[in-house]
Amino acid sequence: MFIFSEQDIASEQGMQKAETQIILYLLQDKVNVGKTIREIATATDVSVGAVHSTLTDLANRGYIVNDGKTRLLRKRQLLIGHWSRGYAETLKPRLFIGRFTFISPETREQWQKIRLPETLLWGGEPAVAQQDGYLQPERWDIYTADNADALIATGRMIPNPQGEIFVYKRFWKTEGMPLLVVYADLLATEDDRCGEAAERIKPML
């Protein structure tokens, strides 16, 4: 059963990976909510049953309405009030692979010159820094569709349990780095700098 209320988010059940993928997909584009269950299942690579259960739960909670056209309501509340927090507190820790560090302080200062393999994407602070240069990263989140070995292959990062680079398994199926995930990454830090950066990108969500 999908979990949305603040009380439920704090519960031991947490949010399931498939349900998180579905909600992310719906939030990314308003037309997605009007697609068939099978189309959503294909796009998110989850089961038809999981899609049906999630959509039913969303409708019961008043987030989806069908008045001749299927629409997603209270998107801002769904994203900010529930999805971002639930993702950061329940799913993201389960996606954690390990920590790395840059091979030198100079490499860290010039991190934007690093060419990541196509299986890797910057998240959180570096992702928003690339967007408008507002934030100077102090923590580097990276999402991978493969494994952490790809970071070693760059020749710029090495494993370090105390490192400033945090590597996570990519869980979405769409192309690129979803801005919704970047936003959630920033909020999860509970850092004032990141909170300000999150506010800057909120209008684009």
Side-chain angles (χ1 to χ4, degrees), residues 2 18-19 22 37 40-41 44 46-56:
F2 194 80
E19 295 161 335
I22 295 166
I37 289 178
I40 296 173
T44 56
V46 302
S47 71
V48 169
V51 175
H52 180 271
S53 176
T54 300
L55 294 181
T56 299

Side-chain angles (χ1 to χ4, degrees), residues 3 8 18 26 31 48 52 55 68 108 193:
I3 298 166
D8 287 340
L26 298 180
V31 304
V48 169
H52 180 271
L55 294 181
R108 182 171 58 248
R193 298 165 42 258

Side-chain angles (χ1 to χ4, degrees), residues 35-94:
K35 294 183 179 180
T36 67
I37 289 178
R38 191 164 297 278
E39 287 174 330
I40 296 173
T42 299
T44 56
D45 195 26
V46 302
S47 71
V48 169
V51 175
H52 180 271
S53 176
T54 300
L55 294 181
T56 299
D57 189 63
L58 285 171
N60 290 338
R61 293 176 180 270
Y63 288 108
I64 289 180
V65 64
N66 190 331
D67 51 6
K69 180 180 180 181
T70 305
R71 294 180 294 122
L72 189 65
L73 303 179
R74 296 187 289 154
K75 174 182 176 181
R76 188 78 55 177
Q77 180 184 354
L78 177 60
L79 167 64
I80 299 173
H82 302 299
W83 189 89
S84 294
R85 185 186 304 175
Y87 163 69
E89 292 180 356
T90 60
L91 178 59
K92 188 174 182 179
R94 291 163 48 197

Side-chain angles (χ1 to χ4, degrees), residues 155-168:
R156 297 293 183 268
M157 311 172 201
I158 55 175
N160 183 333
Q162 303 301 319
E164 65 274 44
I165 303 168
F166 294 72
V167 186
Y168 298 90

